[in-house]
Amino acid sequence: MSLSITKLTAVNVGKDMSLEWRSRDVLNSMLFFALLVVVIFSWAFDPTAEQSRRMVGGLAWVAFLFSTVMALNQSWARELRNGVLDAYRVSPAPSEALFLGKCLGNFILVLLLECVMAVLFVVFYNLRSVGPLWQLVIVFLLGTWALVVNGTFFAAMSIRTRNRELMLPLLLLPISIPAVAAMVLATTNVLTGESSSLLQIKFLAVYCVVFTTACFLLFDTVLNAE
Amino acid sequence: MRSVSLELERGRFYVLRGENGAGKSTLLRMIAGLNQPTEGRILIYGIPNREARSEIGYMAHAPLLYDEFSGMENLRFFASLYGIKSEDSLSAAMERVGLNPGLDRRVGQYSQGMRQRLSLARAIFHSPRLLLLDEPFSNVDPDSAVAIARLLAGMRSEGKTILLVTHQLGLLSEVADEVLVMSRGELVKRGAMPQVSA
């Protein structure tokens, strides 16, 4: 019997993707919410291309942040249904593999959403990037990971609370403020081309390393806490 | 739970009974490592229970299964958590509980009895030496309950230690070695089946 974290992480990602493919709980709720944000704000403001470049950074990350919260709640709710999480805890599989699997699974789903929404943002807000596009890609990868890793950890922390769907944003949003500020600023910088986003990218990279390490090390305690 | 001190002998079949809220399920969860005692320790074959998880087969009130997966897909996922790749032990576990391994239906569409049997298959597929079973006969029709009791008798004769919570003692009168009685979080009585169950 061999139980490597890498293999078990892959098994968990595969399981989450397979469950999502069959139920589409997470993708449907995320897409619906993000779509509403894009459409309603485009009607409300009717911005010019120049105005769009200034406001879309904030708008996009608000949509992705709240969509991520929805995804995280759903992905843990699945583990609570029928008490499946107990079957995992009783097994000899390391809890870190569950954490990494959930993080990667949610990361893939949120990235999928971002790809779809990016097209819609371009269409509805008449967007065109003035700054270097590769920086935008890095900002989205790091920003999404920052949201997902903290969100997965805090969602696990709140699964045993009575109002877990309310608890997650209360725990996640304050700790995500520095990262979200960096994401918004970096996205706006790339879209307007007014200044470089390298400083924000460095900050996001450090943020991701610090929080990934902390959440990874503390996850077993959180999962088995009573 | 208060001051529970309990030693189980290898290869014996124990039935745990008591009124609702006596702490039977909590005791099982503690042995399985899902709840931590505030004091004391739990050893399984001389090893702390958290380190002996591959030796434990646990069946709870809830089925501990994904509704979206078929029976075999569920077992395949849980087998990977134990490092088991062979499909043979999974098919064998399903056949032992009277389910067809080729059944393609999702667990969400199973009857309560089928879920219960699949849950038992999930608890035994890795051949654990200690089986912790919480109400395995609930929601199961009488014929299936007898079949499960027979299966458990077979597992005891293979040398497995079984600790089972049930109110249906009649099903186990021929099989169980000892009955443990709990009340208000304490173990109040322990003895051979006919005496204690009377």
Side-chain angles (χ1 to χ4, degrees):
Chain A
M1 290 203 298
S2 59
L3 291 171
S4 87
I5 284 196
T6 320
K7 274 185 197 162
L8 285 171
T9 301
V11 165
N12 276 301
V13 174
K15 179 258 297 173
D16 277 351
M17 291 297 108
S18 180
L19 287 171
E20 179 54 27
W21 177 250
R22 290 172 193 207
S23 67
R24 294 192 180 87
D25 291 343
V26 174
L27 268 178
N28 282 345
S29 54
M30 282 199 308
L31 261 174
F32 184 69
F33 176 81
L35 202 63
L36 270 182
V37 172
V38 174
V39 174
I40 288 174
F41 278 92
S42 77
W43 284 343
F45 294 132
D46 194 17
T48 61
E50 181 55 31
Q51 286 169 325
S52 288
R53 277 197 284 271
R54 294 199 174 279
M55 61 182 253
V56 156
L59 201 58
W61 282 111
V62 165
F64 298 148
L65 176 63
F66 286 103
S67 300
T68 304
V69 170
M70 279 182 180
L72 293 165
N73 270 326
Q74 290 281 352
S75 78
W76 281 108
R78 209 174 262 157
E79 303 299 330
L80 291 181
R81 233 175 277 146
N82 295 340
V84 195
L85 193 58
D86 280 347
Y88 194 99
R89 289 177 60 210
V90 155
S91 78
S95 52
E96 290 80 7
L98 175 65
F99 175 69
L100 289 178
K102 279 258 170 262
C103 285
L104 285 170
N106 289 322
F107 182 69
I108 292 168
L109 290 178
V110 177
L111 274 186
L112 263 176
L113 170 87
E114 288 172 356
C115 291
V116 174
M117 296 315 294
V119 177
L120 292 177
F121 271 112
V122 169
V123 173
F124 278 88
Y125 294 87
N126 192 22
L127 274 186
R128 189 173 53 86
S129 169
V130 177
L133 205 59
W134 65 267
Q135 287 187 359
L136 199 60
V137 173
I138 294 175
V139 168
F140 270 74
L141 289 174
L142 289 174
T144 305
W145 182 257
L147 292 180
V148 161
V149 80
N150 278 334
T152 304
F153 181 77
F154 286 114
M157 195 183 257
S158 57
I159 50 175
R160 285 190 197 85
T161 60
R162 198 176 295 166
N163 297 317
R164 63 172 183 274
E165 293 190 356
L166 188 70
M167 192 58 83
L168 176 58
L170 286 179
L171 292 169
L172 177 64
L173 298 186
I175 210 148
S176 301
I177 285 174
V180 173
M183 295 169 212
V184 172
L185 199 58
T187 308
T188 309
N189 283 345
V190 174
L191 290 177
T192 57
E194 284 172 357
S195 58
S196 168
S197 297
L198 286 178
L199 185 65
Q200 287 84 26
I201 288 174
K202 282 179 193 162
F203 173 80
L204 281 173
V206 173
Y207 184 98
C208 284
V209 169
V210 169
F211 280 93
T212 303
T213 309
C215 293
F216 182 82
L217 294 176
L218 290 171
F219 186 73
D220 188 60
T221 311
V222 165
L223 189 71
N224 292 307
E226 288 170 38
Chain B
M1 303 289 301
R2 279 178 293 170
S3 313
V4 172
S5 179
L6 176 64
E7 195 169 330
L8 303 180
E9 267 179 61
R10 201 178 288 228
R12 281 175 72 85
F13 195 136
Y14 299 87
V15 174
L16 186 58
R17 56 178 296 205
E19 75 270 21
N20 290 336
K24 307 180 293 292
S25 297
T26 308
L27 179 61
L28 252 58
R29 288 179 63 84
M30 277 187 179
I31 298 171
L34 293 169
N35 287 8
Q36 296 304 315
T38 47
E39 276 178 45
R41 60 189 185 149
I42 298 164
L43 300 177
I44 293 170
Y45 299 106
I47 307 166
N49 60 342
R50 295 281 299 156
E51 290 161 32
R53 285 179 286 183
S54 55
E55 301 290 357
I56 301 171
Y58 174 66
M59 180 180 174
H61 278 298
L64 317 189
L65 299 163
Y66 291 103
D67 279 346
E68 296 87 346
F69 283 163
S70 70
M72 203 58 183
E73 285 171 329
N74 264 290
L75 293 194
R76 224 172 270 141
F77 170 70
F78 290 111
S80 62
L81 304 184
Y82 289 81
I84 296 171
K85 287 173 190 154
S86 155
E87 296 258 315
D88 298 346
S89 60
L90 311 183
S91 302
M94 281 193 80
E95 279 163 6
R96 275 190 100 167
V97 298
L99 290 174
N100 174 7
L103 189 63
D104 203 23
R105 215 191 302 168
R106 290 180 186 184
V107 170
Q109 297 166 334
Y110 276 24
S111 69
Q112 284 291 326
M114 287 170 79
R115 279 169 179 240
Q116 198 76 347
R117 282 189 275 161
L118 183 60
S119 181
L120 182 59
R122 189 198 46 73
I124 64 171
F125 73 83
H126 59 292
S127 299
R129 288 197 287 170
L130 172 64
L131 271 174
L132 304 168
L133 310 173
D134 201 348
E135 300 277 9
F137 306 120
S138 63
N139 301 314
V140 174
D141 64 78
D143 288 345
S144 300
V146 170
I148 290 174
R150 251 190 238 128
L151 165 67
L152 295 176
M155 298 194 78
R156 189 198 62 167
S157 55
E158 287 167 17
K160 315 276 187 208
T161 309
I162 301 172
L163 178 59
L164 180 149
V165 173
T166 188
H167 296 289
Q168 293 164 270
L169 283 176
L171 282 166
L172 301 167
S173 55
E174 303 291 317
V175 189
D177 297 304
E178 262 189 76
V179 177
L180 314 167
V181 183
M182 286 193 74
S183 179
R184 296 179 183 182
E186 287 181 273
L187 203 59
V188 291
K189 215 172 181 184
R190 176 176 187 170
M193 181 76 170
Q195 287 86 18
V196 179
S197 60

